Amino acid sequence: MKAQDGMYIDGAWRPAAGRDLIEVVDPADEEVIARVPAGTAEDVDAAVRAARAALPGWAATPPAVRAERLTALRDVLLARKDEIAETVTAELGSPPAFSQAVHAAVPIAVAGSFAELAATHAFEEKVGNSTVLHEPVGVVAAITPWNYPLHQIVAKVAPALAAGCTVVLKPAEDTPLTAQLFAGAVHEAGVPAGVFNLVTGLGPVAGQALAEHPDVDLVSFTGSTAVGRRIGAIAGAAVKRVALELGGKSANVILPSADLARAVNVGVANVMSNSGQTCSAWTRMLVHTSQYDEAVELARTAAAKYADRIGPLVSAGQRDRVRGYIDKGVAEGARLVAGGAAAPREKGWYVSPTVFADVTEDMTIAQEEIFGPVLSIIRYEDEDDALRIANGTVYGLAGAVWAGDEAEAVAFARRMDTGQVDINGGRFNPLAPFGGYKQSGVGRELGSHGLAEYLQTKSFQF
């Protein structure tokens, strides 16, 4: 797609306040494919003012009508599915098949789910002698990451619009073209002017200006825990609401009764998906000591299949960060059984699918989020030991449990300190709440729980 040279504010593309541009680079060949404006505080202010002006009308719009606009948005995105996939492949480096099946298809399904919720959610209810109203929280600042550029946008914007909120979106600077495509879809879907606004730019400039803006009522952010802390501090000082989806270091616990080959193969696939750039990836594989050597060999074989399947990392900086973690794993005594830090290709920001064995729970690669195609395999002695290791990080975003008996897996999962657990390879559910415990964040996305983040409550007593 051709990049827009302005900001989408109040229903139209408008020139940016400044002249600085951000280069968008194809991670596969390191070529500049587009340039977009680097938004300033002035651009942010214009977008927030447009959102504030549009808020009364959109909040008063009947939920059924809001549902119609979201359905129209879903339909436009569906019609542009190929363009979405091509855009994500160009700016993120995702393989075309994965872009089609995940980066395009999943957010289309999520948009449809919020259209249905807008039509069916009980925005008013009776509780004893009270009438309880669930009203829009107001103007939402949506600050999204680059790893799932459209999904993360839809997961914030769709529930906000369903709730009756207005939105200013600041997408990641690495993947702004997908956000511009989304803005075009919003316009084509007939969403009223000012209800949705887009400002491209850098986090420390446009992102901070948006989080600090006094007319923003809620900041919804997905990204690193460090930035999440900063946004939380800004919001706390202004007593405004936040929804934070942050880092993860999820455990894939394989109990002795499980189908070991299936659990290992699915676990490796999970880590390698999206080149490992997934916050909920099961990057720690926990295996009973009696099955450890077999699991390591299975993982080594499985990882080799992904050498030519996964795409590059999003940037040179991200590639170098992941390589640094691989070097640190080796330096701390982990055994490299697949991949490594060496560049697998002459051009492009690629990292080989990497598997470490003999990882101990105190190693850096077992504690910190790497955000690349790197798996750490950790042995455990019994279930209590496995639980202690699984819960032994500052994160609690996701995880998995495998067992021959589903009840056994569920019993273990109930004791895990994490927001979401897949049982024996459970399928993704766009209606299930997604979010973390501990330093993995505050709040939930998707489904009715995701919608609730954008509502505030009022009661009338009779």
Side-chain angles (χ1 to χ4, degrees):
M1 65 169 291
K2 180 181 181 297
Q4 296 286 344
D5 58 3
M7 310 296 184
Y8 185 76
I9 297 175
D10 204 18
W13 292 100
R14 300 186 176 188
R19 296 184 178 181
D20 290 343
L21 298 174
I22 298 170
E23 291 186 340
V24 184
V25 180
D26 185 335
D29 60 16
E30 304 176 38
E31 298 294 327
V32 176
I33 57 174
R35 293 175 176 83
V36 301
T40 65
E42 185 177 345
D43 295 307
V44 167
D45 183 62
V48 173
R49 283 190 285 108
R52 177 60 62 185
L55 179 61
W58 185 245
T61 299
V65 177
R66 299 200 295 261
E68 290 174 1
R69 293 306 96 218
L70 284 169
T71 299
L73 174 60
R74 188 272 316 274
D75 292 345
V76 174
L77 293 174
L78 182 60
R80 296 185 179 184
K81 184 179 179 181
D82 290 345
E83 184 182 2
I84 292 168
E86 291 167 4
T87 302
V88 173
T89 292
E91 64 181 354
L92 180 63
S94 171
F98 193 79
S99 293
Q100 278 279 352
V102 177
H103 287 292
V106 171
I108 290 170
V110 171
S113 73
F114 281 114
E116 293 180 11
L117 276 171
T120 60
H121 186 77
F123 290 95
E124 184 173 321
E125 59 181 326
K126 292 290 292 183
V127 179
N129 65 307
S130 300
T131 296
V132 179
L133 309 180
H134 302 282
E135 300 180 330
V137 71
V139 175
V140 172
I143 303 176
T144 57
W146 45 261
N147 60 325
Y148 289 90
L150 184 59
H151 171 65
Q152 296 289 356
I153 290 171
V154 171
K156 298 181 187 302
V157 175
L161 298 189
C165 298
T166 55
V167 180
V168 178
L169 169 67
K170 206 296 286 183
E173 54 265 31
D174 297 288
T175 54
L177 303 182
T178 303
Q180 289 189 341
L181 191 157
F182 178 79
V186 169
H187 188 86
E188 186 176 338
V191 175
V195 170
F196 170 82
N197 307 272
L198 168 66
V199 175
T200 55
L202 302 176
V205 180
Q208 179 153 334
L210 188 54
E212 291 178 341
H213 201 290
D215 273 340
V216 166
D217 300 295
L218 181 150
V219 182
S220 180
F221 169 78
T222 297
S224 72
T225 299
V227 176
R229 289 193 191 100
R230 173 63 181 154
I231 289 175
I234 292 170
V239 196
K240 67 175 68 175
R241 287 171 55 174
V242 294
L244 303 174
E245 198 269 278
L246 308 176
K249 194 68 183 177
S250 301
N252 179 18
V253 182
I254 305 175
L255 298 177
S257 63
D259 180 338
L260 183 65
R262 179 166 179 258
V264 171
N265 284 320
V266 174
V268 170
N270 176 278
V271 173
M272 302 308 161
S273 294
N274 210 39
S275 302
Q277 299 170 129
T278 303
C279 54
S280 58
W282 310 333
T283 52
R284 295 180 297 144
M285 181 179 288
L286 277 56
V287 184
H288 189 267
T289 186
S290 66
Q291 299 173 315
Y292 190 81
D293 291 341
E294 183 182 358
V296 169
E297 181 59 25
L298 286 167
R300 184 195 65 76
T301 302
K305 299 176 183 177
Y306 291 90
D308 297 323
R309 295 184 191 177
I310 66 173
L313 300 188
V314 72
S315 66
Q318 182 65 14
R319 176 205 58 192
D320 294 344
R321 179 177 183 271
V322 173
R323 284 179 174 175
Y325 273 110
I326 294 173
D327 287 338
K328 185 166 288 188
V330 172
E332 292 183 358
R335 174 163 56 99
L336 192 64
V337 298
R345 305 189 189 188
E346 291 184 3
K347 201 167 190 180
W349 298 318
Y350 290 88
V351 172
S352 296
T354 298
V355 177
F356 279 106
D358 300 338
V359 178
T360 59
E361 59 189 286
D362 59 339
M363 289 181 180
T364 302
I365 59 172
Q367 290 292 321
E368 297 184 10
E369 185 175 46
I370 298 173
F371 227 60
V374 181
L375 171 65
S376 296
I377 308 180
I378 305 171
R379 70 175 74 235
Y380 68 86
E381 299 297 327
D382 55 33
E383 284 198 17
D384 287 341
D385 190 36
L387 183 70
R388 180 184 58 78
I389 296 169
N391 290 340
T393 75
V394 298
Y395 298 112
L397 185 57
V401 183
W402 301 79
D405 178 64
E406 183 177 287
E408 180 187 4
V410 169
F412 189 95
R414 288 182 183 278
R415 297 196 291 162
M416 293 176 72
D417 296 334
T418 190
Q420 191 171 77
V421 184
D422 292 339
I423 306 295
N424 288 336
R427 293 179 294 109
F428 172 74
N429 179 2
L431 297 178
F434 179 77
Y437 287 16
K438 300 188 285 188
Q439 292 188 26
S440 285
V442 177
R444 293 294 180 267
E445 293 186 327
L446 304 180
S448 60
H449 295 81
L451 177 62
E453 295 292 332
Y454 300 92
L455 294 168
Q456 56 189 350
T457 306
K458 175 190 293 180
S459 66
F460 299 150
Q461 282 59 249
F462 296 90

